[in-house]
Amino acid sequence: MILHNYWRSGTSYRTRIALNLKGLAYEQRAYDLRAGAQNEPAYKALNPQMMVPTLEVDGTLLTQTPAILEWLEERFPEPPLLPGGPEARAMVRAMAALIGCDVHPLGNLRVLGQLRTQFGADSAAVKQWAARWIGDGFAALETLIARHGGAFAFGDTPTLVECYLVPQLYSAERFEVDVSPYPRLLAAAHAARALPAVAAAHPDHQPDADPR
Ligand SMILES: N[C@@H](CCC(=O)N[C@@H](CS)C(=O)NCC(=O)O)C(=O)O
Protein backbone atom coordinates (compact mmCIF):
# COMPACT_ATOMS: atom_id res chain seq x y z
CA MET A 1 0.00 0.00 0.00
CA ILE A 2 1.14 3.52 -0.75
CA LEU A 3 -0.17 6.42 1.30
CA HIS A 4 0.01 9.68 -0.65
CA ASN A 5 -0.07 12.23 2.12
CA TYR A 6 1.41 15.24 3.91
CA TRP A 7 2.89 15.17 7.38
CA ARG A 8 0.78 17.96 8.86
CA SER A 9 -2.55 17.18 7.25
CA GLY A 10 -5.19 16.02 9.73
CA THR A 11 -6.77 13.59 7.32
CA SER A 12 -3.37 12.08 6.52
CA TYR A 13 -2.66 11.77 10.27
CA ARG A 14 -6.10 10.13 10.68
CA THR A 15 -5.27 7.54 8.06
CA ARG A 16 -1.80 6.81 9.46
CA ILE A 17 -3.36 6.18 12.89
CA ALA A 18 -5.82 3.66 11.43
CA LEU A 19 -3.13 1.90 9.37
CA ASN A 20 -0.81 1.73 12.39
CA LEU A 21 -3.52 0.50 14.75
CA LYS A 22 -4.22 -2.28 12.26
CA GLY A 23 -0.50 -3.09 12.19
CA LEU A 24 -0.28 -2.59 8.41
CA ALA A 25 2.89 -1.73 6.50
CA TYR A 26 2.73 1.08 3.93
CA GLU A 27 5.00 3.31 1.91
CA GLN A 28 4.56 7.04 2.04
CA ARG A 29 4.74 9.60 -0.78
CA ALA A 30 4.75 13.21 0.33
CA TYR A 31 2.97 16.23 -1.21
CA ASP A 32 3.79 19.58 0.33
CA LEU A 33 0.45 21.37 0.65
CA ARG A 34 2.21 24.66 1.43
CA ALA A 35 3.83 24.49 -2.01
CA GLY A 36 0.55 23.51 -3.69
CA ALA A 37 1.74 20.00 -4.63
CA GLN A 38 -1.84 18.74 -4.29
CA ASN A 39 -2.81 20.92 -7.26
CA GLU A 40 -0.13 19.58 -9.60
CA PRO A 41 -1.25 17.30 -12.46
CA ALA A 42 0.67 14.34 -10.98
CA TYR A 43 -1.42 14.41 -7.81
CA LYS A 44 -4.66 15.41 -9.57
CA ALA A 45 -4.32 12.20 -11.57
CA LEU A 46 -4.48 10.29 -8.28
CA ASN A 47 -7.20 12.35 -6.64
CA PRO A 48 -9.32 14.68 -8.80
CA GLN A 49 -10.39 16.56 -5.67
CA MET A 50 -6.76 17.61 -5.14
CA MET A 51 -6.85 16.76 -1.45
CA VAL A 52 -4.69 14.39 0.56
CA PRO A 53 -4.65 11.59 1.41
CA THR A 54 -5.01 8.96 -1.28
CA LEU A 55 -4.37 5.33 -0.42
CA GLU A 56 -3.11 3.30 -3.36
CA VAL A 57 -3.83 -0.41 -3.05
CA ASP A 58 -2.62 -2.63 -5.88
CA GLY A 59 -3.33 0.13 -8.38
CA THR A 60 -6.71 1.07 -6.90
CA LEU A 61 -6.91 4.65 -5.69
CA LEU A 62 -8.92 5.08 -2.50
CA THR A 63 -9.89 8.61 -1.50
CA GLN A 64 -11.99 10.30 1.21
CA THR A 65 -10.83 9.17 4.64
CA PRO A 66 -14.24 7.98 5.89
CA ALA A 67 -14.30 5.58 2.94
CA ILE A 68 -10.64 4.64 3.42
CA LEU A 69 -11.10 3.90 7.13
CA GLU A 70 -14.27 1.88 6.51
CA TRP A 71 -12.43 -0.04 3.78
CA LEU A 72 -9.58 -0.78 6.20
CA GLU A 73 -12.08 -2.04 8.77
CA GLU A 74 -13.74 -4.34 6.23
CA ARG A 75 -10.54 -5.58 4.66
CA PHE A 76 -8.52 -5.92 7.90
CA PRO A 77 -11.05 -6.51 10.69
CA GLU A 78 -8.46 -7.06 13.44
CA PRO A 79 -8.09 -5.26 15.73
CA PRO A 80 -11.56 -3.76 15.23
CA LEU A 81 -11.99 0.00 15.17
CA LEU A 82 -15.77 -0.32 15.34
CA PRO A 83 -17.56 -1.95 18.29
CA GLY A 84 -19.98 -4.87 18.01
CA GLY A 85 -23.68 -4.14 17.53
CA PRO A 86 -25.35 -1.76 15.08
CA GLU A 87 -26.27 0.90 17.64
CA ALA A 88 -22.77 1.08 19.10
CA ARG A 89 -21.30 1.21 15.60
CA ALA A 90 -23.68 4.02 14.64
CA MET A 91 -22.62 5.97 17.71
CA VAL A 92 -18.90 5.61 16.94
CA ARG A 93 -19.53 6.66 13.34
CA ALA A 94 -21.54 9.66 14.58
CA MET A 95 -18.75 10.75 16.95
CA ALA A 96 -16.20 10.42 14.14
CA ALA A 97 -18.45 12.28 11.68
CA LEU A 98 -18.94 15.09 14.16
CA ILE A 99 -15.26 15.89 13.60
CA GLY A 100 -14.89 14.65 10.04
CA CYS A 101 -17.97 16.37 8.59
CA ASP A 102 -18.63 19.33 10.86
CA VAL A 103 -15.30 20.51 12.32
CA HIS A 104 -12.33 19.52 10.16
CA PRO A 105 -13.61 20.88 6.80
CA LEU A 106 -14.02 24.38 8.24
CA GLY A 107 -10.32 24.50 9.11
CA ASN A 108 -9.06 23.19 5.81
CA LEU A 109 -6.21 24.98 4.04
CA ARG A 110 -8.35 26.09 1.11
CA VAL A 111 -11.15 27.35 3.39
CA LEU A 112 -8.74 29.39 5.53
CA GLY A 113 -7.05 30.65 2.36
CA GLN A 114 -10.41 31.87 1.05
CA LEU A 115 -11.14 33.64 4.35
CA ARG A 116 -7.85 35.48 3.95
CA THR A 117 -8.05 36.33 0.26
CA GLN A 118 -11.79 37.00 -0.20
CA PHE A 119 -12.69 38.39 3.20
CA GLY A 120 -9.39 39.87 4.37
CA ALA A 121 -9.17 37.75 7.52
CA ASP A 122 -5.90 38.25 9.39
CA SER A 123 -4.22 35.61 11.58
CA ALA A 124 -6.24 36.64 14.64
CA ALA A 125 -9.51 36.32 12.74
CA VAL A 126 -8.50 32.95 11.35
CA LYS A 127 -7.70 31.73 14.86
CA GLN A 128 -11.10 32.94 16.10
CA TRP A 129 -12.78 31.12 13.21
CA ALA A 130 -10.96 27.89 14.03
CA ALA A 131 -11.70 28.22 17.75
CA ARG A 132 -15.41 28.74 17.08
CA TRP A 133 -15.88 25.53 15.09
CA ILE A 134 -13.46 23.38 17.06
CA GLY A 135 -15.09 24.60 20.28
CA ASP A 136 -18.60 23.75 19.08
CA GLY A 137 -17.53 20.29 17.99
CA PHE A 138 -15.45 19.53 21.06
CA ALA A 139 -18.26 20.63 23.40
CA ALA A 140 -20.67 18.19 21.74
CA LEU A 141 -18.07 15.44 21.69
CA GLU A 142 -17.32 15.98 25.39
CA THR A 143 -21.01 15.25 26.15
CA LEU A 144 -20.99 12.12 24.00
CA ILE A 145 -17.77 10.88 25.61
CA ALA A 146 -19.37 11.40 29.05
CA ARG A 147 -22.19 9.12 27.88
CA HIS A 148 -20.23 6.46 26.05
CA GLY A 149 -16.57 6.75 27.02
CA GLY A 150 -14.35 4.55 29.12
CA ALA A 151 -10.57 4.48 28.83
CA PHE A 152 -11.13 5.89 25.32
CA ALA A 153 -13.81 8.05 23.72
CA PHE A 154 -16.13 5.10 23.19
CA GLY A 155 -15.55 2.23 25.59
CA ASP A 156 -12.20 0.84 26.62
CA THR A 157 -10.46 0.28 23.29
CA PRO A 158 -9.48 2.75 20.57
CA THR A 159 -12.04 3.16 17.80
CA LEU A 160 -12.51 5.32 14.73
CA VAL A 161 -13.23 8.19 17.12
CA GLU A 162 -9.57 8.35 18.16
CA CYS A 163 -8.49 8.35 14.50
CA TYR A 164 -10.43 11.60 14.08
CA LEU A 165 -9.99 13.08 17.55
CA VAL A 166 -6.19 12.92 17.91
CA PRO A 167 -5.49 14.90 14.69
CA GLN A 168 -8.25 17.40 15.49
CA LEU A 169 -6.69 18.02 18.91
CA TYR A 170 -3.31 18.53 17.19
CA SER A 171 -4.97 21.14 14.99
CA ALA A 172 -6.65 22.80 18.00
CA GLU A 173 -3.25 23.07 19.67
CA ARG A 174 -1.73 24.65 16.55
CA PHE A 175 -4.53 27.23 16.54
CA GLU A 176 -4.00 27.77 20.29
CA VAL A 177 -7.61 26.87 21.09
CA ASP A 178 -8.40 26.59 24.80
CA VAL A 179 -9.20 22.90 25.19
CA SER A 180 -9.34 22.91 29.00
CA PRO A 181 -13.19 22.78 29.05
CA TYR A 182 -13.07 19.24 27.59
CA PRO A 183 -11.40 16.99 30.19
CA ARG A 184 -12.95 13.73 29.02
CA LEU A 185 -12.01 14.42 25.43
CA LEU A 186 -8.46 15.23 26.52
CA ALA A 187 -8.22 12.04 28.60
CA ALA A 188 -9.32 9.92 25.64
CA ALA A 189 -6.91 11.68 23.27
CA HIS A 190 -4.01 11.37 25.71
CA ALA A 191 -4.74 7.66 26.22
CA ALA A 192 -4.62 7.23 22.45
CA ARG A 193 -1.46 9.32 22.05
CA ALA A 194 0.26 7.01 24.53
CA LEU A 195 -0.24 4.01 22.23
CA PRO A 196 2.90 3.36 20.15
CA ALA A 197 0.83 2.93 16.97
CA VAL A 198 -0.74 6.35 17.44
CA ALA A 199 2.50 8.00 18.54
CA ALA A 200 4.21 6.75 15.37
CA ALA A 201 1.56 8.48 13.25
CA HIS A 202 2.33 11.92 14.75
CA PRO A 203 3.20 14.54 12.12
CA ASP A 204 6.64 15.21 13.62
CA HIS A 205 7.64 11.58 13.06
CA GLN A 206 6.89 11.50 9.33
CA PRO A 207 9.65 11.45 6.70
CA ASP A 208 8.54 14.76 5.15
CA ALA A 209 8.24 16.65 8.47
CA ASP A 210 10.06 19.96 8.79
CA PRO A 211 13.29 19.58 10.75
CA ARG A 212 12.72 20.57 14.38
N1 LIG B 1 -13.10 14.83 3.12
C1 LIG B 1 -11.71 14.64 2.76
C2 LIG B 1 -10.94 15.87 3.19
C3 LIG B 1 -9.47 15.80 2.85
C4 LIG B 1 -8.78 17.09 3.25
O1 LIG B 1 -9.39 17.98 3.81
N2 LIG B 1 -7.48 17.16 2.97
C5 LIG B 1 -6.76 18.39 3.22
C6 LIG B 1 -5.60 18.15 4.18
S1 LIG B 1 -6.16 17.70 5.80
C7 LIG B 1 -6.17 18.91 1.94
O2 LIG B 1 -5.69 18.14 1.13
N3 LIG B 1 -6.19 20.24 1.74
C8 LIG B 1 -5.58 20.82 0.59
C9 LIG B 1 -6.23 22.09 0.19
O3 LIG B 1 -7.09 22.60 0.92
O4 LIG B 1 -5.84 22.58 -0.87
C10 LIG B 1 -11.18 13.38 3.41
O5 LIG B 1 -11.67 13.03 4.49
O6 LIG B 1 -10.30 12.72 2.84
Side-chain angles (χ1 to χ4, degrees):
M1 283 191 280
I2 303 171
L3 181 64
H4 300 269
N5 78 155
Y6 174 59
W7 64 291
R8 232 178 202 171
S9 130
T11 49
S12 300
Y13 190 3
R14 188 186 288 174
T15 308
R16 293 192 300 265
I17 292 173
L19 286 161
N20 292 355
L21 284 170
K22 296 279 184 190
L24 298 168
Y26 54 97
E27 280 175 45
Q28 289 196 45
R29 304 266 162 84
Y31 300 83
D32 190 339
L33 301 190
R34 292 169 300 193
Q38 73 278 25
N39 303 318
E40 296 293 330
Y43 187 73
K44 194 177 178 189
L46 300 175
N47 184 337
Q49 229 185 336
M50 296 177 281
M51 286 179 156
V52 293
T54 297
L55 185 65
E56 187 174 344
V57 185
D58 297 330
T60 298
L61 300 169
L62 303 178
T63 59
Q64 284 290 345
T65 54
I68 294 172
L69 269 52
E70 291 279 349
W71 174 83
L72 282 170
E73 185 70 2
E74 287 179 16
R75 181 74 182 74
F76 305 98
E78 296 299 328
L81 295 177
L82 283 168
E87 290 75 22
R89 294 162 82 84
M91 182 50 61
V92 165
R93 288 180 170 122
M95 291 165 81
L98 185 158
I99 292 175
C101 299
D102 299 330
V103 178
H104 174 273
L106 292 163
N108 210 338
L109 188 65
R110 59 186 66 181
V111 172
L112 302 185
Q114 198 71 13
L115 287 178
R116 289 190 180 97
T117 54
Q118 190 176 350
F119 302 106
D122 60 11
S123 296
V126 166
K127 271 190 184 175
Q128 281 174 19
W129 169 271
R132 162 72 207 277
W133 304 118
I134 292 172
D136 278 12
F138 278 9
L141 194 55
E142 179 74 6
T143 302
L144 293 173
I145 294 172
R147 279 186 207 154
H148 302 287
F152 292 94
F154 186 97
D156 291 320
T157 57
T159 64
L160 289 183
V161 185
E162 277 71 32
C163 299
Y164 286 74
L165 171 59
V166 169
Q168 193 60 58
L169 180 60
Y170 170 77
S171 171
E173 289 164 348
R174 286 185 63 209
F175 284 116
E176 298 175 337
V177 177
D178 177 14
V179 291
S180 62
Y182 320 112
R184 291 184 177 88
L185 178 153
L186 289 175
H190 291 154
R193 280 175 167 173
L195 299 172
V198 176
H202 191 281
D204 291 348
H205 301 146
Q206 306 317 306
D208 56 325
D210 282 350
R212 288 176 68 82

